[in-house]
Every structure is written in structure tokens, then in C-alpha cells.
Amino acid sequence: MKNTSIRAASDKLIFALDADNYEDALSWVELLSGHVGMFKVGKELFTAVGPKIIESIKNKGQRVFLDLKFHDIPNTVARAAQAAVRLNVDMFNVHASGGSQMIKETVAASWACADKLGLPRPVILAVTVLTSLNKADLAEIGFSKDAGEQVLHLAKLAKNAGVSGVVASALDIAMLRAKFGDKFIIVTPGIRSAGAKIKDDQKRTLSAYEAVKTGADYIVVGRPISAVPEPLEACRQIVQEIADGLAAK
Ligand code: C5P
């Protein structure tokens, strides 16, 4: 039972593979394989090293979240998504503000591509409002709603267009869970435990325990694992917090 719950907890932990070169990225994958549920490949790493890091992660039997936040005309995003499906990524995301048509075409193209190749259909998430934007930033780019309303508006649009869930800040989990029900997938970065020693740029944070208890399906964690002296120990502690959060739900 204990092993089962630790396994279920580690499946919910996504490690942010924020390296700028292939060798460093691969050594994190080697260290953390089997201890986390997925590796997140973002813009920095993908731009620096390209698809070979995804192939290497998949060859080790691990899962990949391709965090490139696609946002372009529908045809371009649909085709980029098909390229992601061909790499057999398990999860990827698009900007909800690309609009319904972009999302619908992307979901349809991805499903068709996966089915044709006999691959599992990846989870497609939407990014609503970047957490770096405050009310003044939103007004500057012409959004009149406040951040919370804009998150809900874009999450609803994206859900109706076919995404399976959203990337959401810790502070929006409860609102999204209440509004969109249990099946809507919520992935939350900005995780910092109460006793965390590192001080950095993340402001609106929750602990792994609180995020999972509040309703996050997956949490994304980078520096609390990568920037501490004992990464594997930090990883194990976060998995234990997730298990405790699941048990407290
Ligand atoms: O190191 P840290 O745990 O802050 O890493 C969090 C990861 O999640 C980074 O890859 C970061 O780009 C990403 N992210 C975030 N906040 C968001 C969206 C994504 O920190 N709102």
C-alpha cells in the first residue's frame, strides 16, 4: 500500500528540466528517472538541443511534457503539434489566447496523427494568463478583465475547444477545480515548501502538499530539486508531500 501511494505520488511530480545543454539535461534524467513522473522540456532546452533530448528521455522509458506554449495561426500550431506527437511526447501545451479555432485544429490534428501512428494521444493543456503578468500588464496588452476573470474566461474557451486541462498558478487551483470539475487536468508550477531555503523569483507559491490537497493533478518543480545540495533527497521529500496531500484530500 505504501509503495503504491508513493508511486502514485511520484507520477504527479513533473521535473522542470531547465538546462541549457544536452549533457546536463541527460544527467538529471539519469538521476531522477523512476523518482518523478515526467520531465518538462521547455523553450530554453528545446531551443538549445532540439528533439534529441526528447528521444533520449523516451528511450529511458520516461514521460515528457513539451512546454513550448504554441501560439500561432491554426495551421502552423496544428502542424507543430503533429511534430510533437511524432516525438511521442506525453503532454504539450498551447496558449489559450490563440483562440478556439487554433485549439480545435490542434486537438483534431494531434488525435489523428497519434491514432494513425498507433501512439497514445498526448494530454493537451492550455496556458491561460502568464503568472508574470499583473493587472497593469494585462491592461497594457488590452485585456480589461482582472487576472482571475481572464484565467476563467480563457480556461473555459480552451476547454470548450477540446483541451484536457490547464497550466495554472497555485492561487487559481481551487477556483478552476470548483468551476470545471474533477476531470479537468490542472498542472501547477511555482511550488515552494514552507521550509524551503532557496529564495528566488517565484512569488505566488504553494507547497506540494497544499497544491495537491487543493486539487492540482500534477506539480512542476525545478529549482527546489535542482538547486539544492541533495537533489534526490529533496525529490523524495516532495513526493512524500504529494502522497500526504493526496491522503488529505
Ligand atoms: O525552478 P522552478 O520550480 O521555479 O521551475 C518552475 C518551472 O515551471 C520553470 O520551468 C518555469 O518556466 C515554469 N513555469 C513557472 N511559472 C509559470 C509557468 C511555468 O514557473 N506560471
Side-chain angles (χ1 to χ4, degrees):
M1 175 65 193
K2 186 129 203 289
N3 282 342
T4 318
S5 64
I6 289 297
R7 182 61 207 247
S10 67
D11 281 348
K12 294 185 170 288
L13 176 56
I14 303 177
F15 178 66
L17 199 51
D18 291 326
D20 63 3
N21 68 82
Y22 179 79
E23 290 70 28
D24 283 358
L26 196 63
S27 62
W28 283 113
V29 175
E30 276 159 6
L31 181 72
L32 296 175
S33 286
H35 298 276
V36 301
M38 229 180 281
F39 290 92
K40 181 172 86 68
V41 175
K43 285 186 167 125
E44 179 190 16
L45 181 59
F46 192 79
T47 305
V49 309
K52 72 174 176 177
I53 188 62
I54 295 174
E55 288 154 12
S56 299
I57 300 169
K58 295 298 303 188
N59 284 340
K60 290 182 183 301
Q62 303 299 301
R63 293 160 65 81
V64 174
F65 169 19
L66 184 62
D67 178 22
L68 296 181
K69 302 183 180 70
F70 293 135
H71 189 176
D72 209 312
I73 60 171
N75 182 61
T76 300
V77 173
R79 292 177 66 95
Q82 287 184 319
V85 171
R86 288 195 293 272
L87 289 170
N88 198 10
V89 305
D90 299 279
M91 192 184 260
F92 69 88
N93 53 11
V94 301
H95 266 287
S97 52
S100 296
Q101 193 59 29
M102 183 197 85
I103 296 169
K104 281 183 189 160
E105 287 190 26
T106 299
V107 172
S110 303
W111 289 175
C113 184
D115 293 354
K116 190 169 155 215
L117 297 174
L119 293 169
R121 293 175 170 185
V123 170
I124 304 177
L125 302 172
V127 173
T128 57
V129 178
L130 293 173
T131 48
S132 51
L133 301 178
N134 63 23
K135 200 170 177 173
D137 299 320
L138 288 173
E140 182 191 40
I141 55 174
F143 289 165
S144 55
K145 295 184 167 65
D146 74 24
E149 288 174 80
Q150 188 69 24
V151 166
L152 272 184
H153 175 78
L154 287 173
K156 188 169 172 203
L157 175 159
K159 184 170 188 279
N160 289 340
V163 299
S164 301
V166 286
V167 181
S169 98
L171 300 187
D172 293 331
I173 300 170
M175 165 182 88
L176 290 164
R177 185 57 74 215
K179 191 88 184 168
F180 298 112
D182 281 346
K183 294 211 171 72
F184 199 54
I185 295 173
I186 300 176
V187 177
T188 300
I191 299 297
R192 295 294 179 267
S193 289
K197 293 188 186 61
I198 56 166
K199 295 276 169 278
D200 53 41
D201 53 349
Q202 294 283 14
K203 294 191 182 76
R204 302 194 301 158
T205 65
L206 273 191
S207 69
Y209 171 81
E210 288 292 345
V212 169
K213 189 171 160 232
T214 313
D217 294 293
Y218 297 91
I219 59 167
V220 178
V221 180
R223 288 163 293 176
I225 294 173
S226 64
V228 299
E230 303 280 356
L232 207 48
E233 183 47 35
C235 180
R236 286 204 185 97
Q237 278 176 16
I238 292 167
V239 169
Q240 185 59 55
E241 268 194 51
I242 296 172
D244 294 344
L246 287 172
K249 267 172 101 171

